[in-house]
């Protein structure tokens, strides 16, 4: 699975520390992740759940054998849209050292292609309202910001 | 599973026509659903997929044995938030004949309770930017509209 010079594959357990490092490496992520050695076991148990579910694809992007990006693609069956399958993408990150090289675009183009292959009629995502650059990035790819994404933390 | 006078249970195949009727019965839904007799088979094949996946709960709300509402609750494992489990709710509808009676609130309170029971740290949803009443409704329940929800239709 290759897009430009970027190669895509399912993440393995050995990739979890790289994935957590990329998730932790920004303003929002640094407040909520624990990129420690060893990693908290909760990351690995989540990985096992994702890995055994065929509707989830935790992906790493590689360039010359080095992991430079990650995304989590999920396929959600639904009664709505005439029983249509939706693709949802979360936790999209490009390693900071490799940003502004078109890798994010390659990752999203791969995602759209993969979603089509699996028969999804749409790809959906949410991005924090503060990430204005991300909004423009997704708009350039054809996404429309038609929805308000709302969250409730449970105690 | 009861909240006030509203009773909640997993939907069965026999509930699919009622669910589709409620999804089709508004401005956005009427453009995308086909509430016909018999229903298009795609609705039933989606139901089968949802029904066999323990991370999906397609729910109907009943009052005195009559289906008056529906929601689709899904549990999404993720590496982010320290491998946290998220609940996502979609396709929330109250039968028009039973609206403005607090049934929507009862449904969402049930949803939050169910998400806690299953160990989710948050509930997330998106609503169309045009549904201003829905935004206020969810805000009253404690949801915060922190995200932009973006969608891309695939051809």
């Amino acid at each position: 699975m290759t897009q430009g010079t970027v190669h895509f594959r399912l993440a393995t357990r050995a990739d979890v520390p790289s994935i957590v490092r990329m998730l932790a490496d920004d303003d929002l992520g640094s407040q909520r992740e624990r990129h420690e050695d060893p990693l908290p076991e909760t990351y690995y148990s989540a990985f096992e759940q994702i890995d055994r579910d065929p509707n989830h694809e935790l992906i790493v992007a590689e360039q010359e054998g080095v992991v430079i990006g990650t995304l989590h693609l999920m396929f959600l069956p639904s009664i709505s849209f005439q029983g249509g399958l939706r693709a949802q993408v979360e936790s999209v990150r490009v390693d900071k050292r490799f940003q502004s090289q078109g890798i994010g675009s390659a990752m999203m183009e791969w995602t759209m292609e993969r979603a089509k292959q699996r028969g999804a009629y749409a790809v959906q995502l949410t991005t924090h309202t503060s990430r204005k650059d991300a909004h423009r990035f997704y708009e350039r790819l054809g996404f429309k910001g038609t929805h308000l994404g709302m969250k409730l933390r449970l105690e």
Side-chain angles (χ1 to χ4, degrees), chain A residues 13-100:
Chain A
R13 188 179 163 92
D15 294 311
V16 176
S18 300
I19 293 170
V20 175
R21 179 178 55 73
M22 290 186 280
L23 293 177
D25 193 20
D26 74 19
D27 289 349
L28 294 171
S30 62
Q31 298 164 36
R32 59 199 187 200
E33 305 303 342
R34 285 174 57 199
H35 182 234
E36 299 164 6
D37 186 13
L39 275 185
E41 187 53 35
T42 53
Y43 286 113
Y44 290 106
S45 51
F47 171 78
E48 300 298 339
Q49 280 184 67
I50 294 165
D51 191 48
R52 81 168 82 94
D53 188 335
N55 279 330
H56 285 259
E57 297 185 352
L58 181 66
I59 299 293
V60 291
E62 285 183 329
Q63 211 166 35
E64 294 168 10
V66 177
V67 170
I68 57 169
T70 182
L71 61 90
H72 182 170
L73 183 57
M74 48 194 89
F75 294 94
L76 305 176
S78 174
I79 300 293
S80 67
F81 282 87
Q82 302 181 33
L85 184 70
R86 243 167 310 173
Q88 180 165 304
V89 62
E90 305 221 8
S91 304
V92 179
R93 291 291 187 284
V94 176
D95 187 317
K96 277 198 173 154
R97 294 166 295 181
F98 298 88
Q99 283 177 359
S100 309

Side-chain angles (χ1 to χ4, degrees), chain A residues 144-149:
Chain A
K144 292 190 171 41
T146 50
H147 283 63
L148 179 66

Side-chain angles (χ1 to χ4, degrees), chain A residues 55 57 72-78 84-90 108 111-126 143:
Chain A
N55 279 330
E57 297 185 352
H72 182 170
L73 183 57
M74 48 194 89
F75 294 94
L76 305 176
S78 174
L85 184 70
R86 243 167 310 173
Q88 180 165 304
V89 62
E90 305 221 8
M108 290 307 299
T111 297
M112 293 184 270
E113 200 51 51
R114 180 66 182 148
K116 271 189 218 175
Q117 271 175 16
R118 288 202 46 168
Y121 71 88
V123 181
Q124 64 186 21
L125 58 85
T126 69
F143 282 81

Side-chain angles (χ1 to χ4, degrees), chain A residues 151-155:
Chain A
K151 299 195 193 241
L152 173 89
R153 283 300 285 265
L154 301 169
E155 302 308 326

Side-chain angles (χ1 to χ4, degrees), chain A residues 1-18:
Chain A
M1 302 191 279
T2 300
Q3 189 91 28
T5 63
V6 187
H7 177 79
F8 297 86
R9 63 171 172 79
L10 283 176
T12 66
R13 188 179 163 92
D15 294 311
V16 176
S18 300

